[in-house]
C-alpha cells in the first residue's frame, strides 16, 4: 500500500500544477481505504473567480459527487498545506475521516506574510475538528520543505 508520504508528494505535485495553471499553489488528493488515490483537486481561486475554490473544498465537492457517501469516513484527504478553517469545516461536514497535510498554517504564513491573496487565519485545523461531534484523525505537518517549494517566489 502506498504511504501517506507518497500521497503527500502527489498533493504537492498537484499544488505545482495549480501554480502552473495561474492559481495559488495548493493541491489535494482523496485516498480510499485501500490506499488508492481516487480524486485530485487543485486550487482554482484565481481562474475560477471563486474565493472558496481552495484545493480541499474543490476536492470535497468532487467527493460528494463521485464517491458513495458511506465510504467517505474511511477516506483520507491528503493536502499540500494544512487546511484553513473554511476547508476544515468542509472536510468535517463531508464526513471524510482523516487528514494528512504537508506545510503547516504557521509555515505557510512565514512564506506569505500579510499577502492580500492569502489572508491567513492562524487557526489550526485540529482546533476546528476538536469542536465537532465526531473525531477526524489528523497527521501533519510532514515534508514541510517539499510542500513549501511551490510557494517560494509566488507570494511576492
Amino acid at each position: 500500500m502506498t504511504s501517506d508520504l507518497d500521497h503527500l508528494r502527489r498533493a504537492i505535485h498537484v499544488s505545482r500544477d495549480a501554480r502552473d495553471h495561474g492559481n495559488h499553489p495548493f493541491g489535494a488528493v482523496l485516498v480510499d481505504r485501500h490506499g488508492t488515490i481516487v480524486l485530485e483537486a487543485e486550487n482554482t481561486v484565481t481562474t475560477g473567480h471563486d474565493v472558496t475554490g481552495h484545493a480541499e473544498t474543490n476536492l470535497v465537492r468532487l467527493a460528494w459527487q463521485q464517491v458513495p457517501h458511506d465510504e467517505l469516513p474511511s477516506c483520507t484527504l491528503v493536502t499540500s498545506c494544512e487546511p484553513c478553517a473554511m476547508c476544515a469545516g468542509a472536510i468535517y461536514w463531508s464526513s471524510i475521516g482523516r487528514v494528512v497535510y504537508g506545510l503547516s498554517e504557521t509555515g505557510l504564513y512565514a512564506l506569505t506574510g500579510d499577502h492580500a491573496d492569502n489572508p491567513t487565519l492562524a487557526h489550526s485545523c485540529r482546533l476546528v475538528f476538536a469542536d465537532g461531534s465526531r473525531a477526524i484523525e489528523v497527521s501533519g505537518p510532514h515534508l514541510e520543505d517539499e510542500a513549501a517549494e511551490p510557494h517560494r517566489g509566488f507570494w511576492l
Side-chain angles (χ1 to χ4, degrees):
M1 194 155 83
T2 307
S3 75
D4 286 343
L5 297 183
D6 291 332
H7 292 130
L8 182 52
R9 285 187 172 101
R10 181 62 194 162
I12 293 166
H13 179 84
V14 174
S15 76
R16 284 192 291 271
D17 289 345
R19 181 178 176 162
D20 291 346
H21 297 142
N23 290 293
H24 303 152
F26 299 96
V29 300
L30 188 69
V31 179
D32 70 13
R33 66 180 181 194
H34 304 294
T36 302
I37 293 175
V38 295
L39 293 170
E40 297 183 349
E42 60 186 55
N43 179 289
T44 58
V45 167
T46 303
T47 59
H49 307 285
D50 180 358
V51 296
T52 68
H54 292 196
E56 300 90 343
T57 54
N58 288 339
L59 192 66
V60 165
R61 285 184 196 105
L62 288 173
W64 260 73
Q65 293 167 0
Q66 299 180 29
V67 177
H69 299 165
D70 63 340
E71 292 181 19
L72 290 172
S74 65
C75 289
T76 300
L77 188 147
V78 182
T79 181
S80 60
C81 291
E82 182 173 5
C84 71
M86 175 185 71
C87 292
I91 293 164
Y92 176 80
W93 284 304
S94 76
S95 297
I96 292 170
R98 184 167 179 259
V99 172
V100 175
Y101 68 88
L103 186 62
S104 67
E105 190 74 10
T106 56
L108 177 63
Y109 184 74
L111 292 169
T112 66
D114 289 328
H115 195 284
D117 285 349
N118 192 48
T120 302
L121 290 170
H123 197 79
S124 168
C125 69
R126 285 178 171 90
L127 295 174
V128 174
F129 297 145
D131 288 335
S133 60
R134 66 175 184 80
I136 296 177
E137 181 184 342
V138 178
S139 180
H142 303 289
L143 305 175
E144 285 199 276
D145 288 339
E146 288 180 46
E149 191 56 38
H151 295 271
R152 291 200 172 91
F154 182 83
W155 304 100
L156 301 176

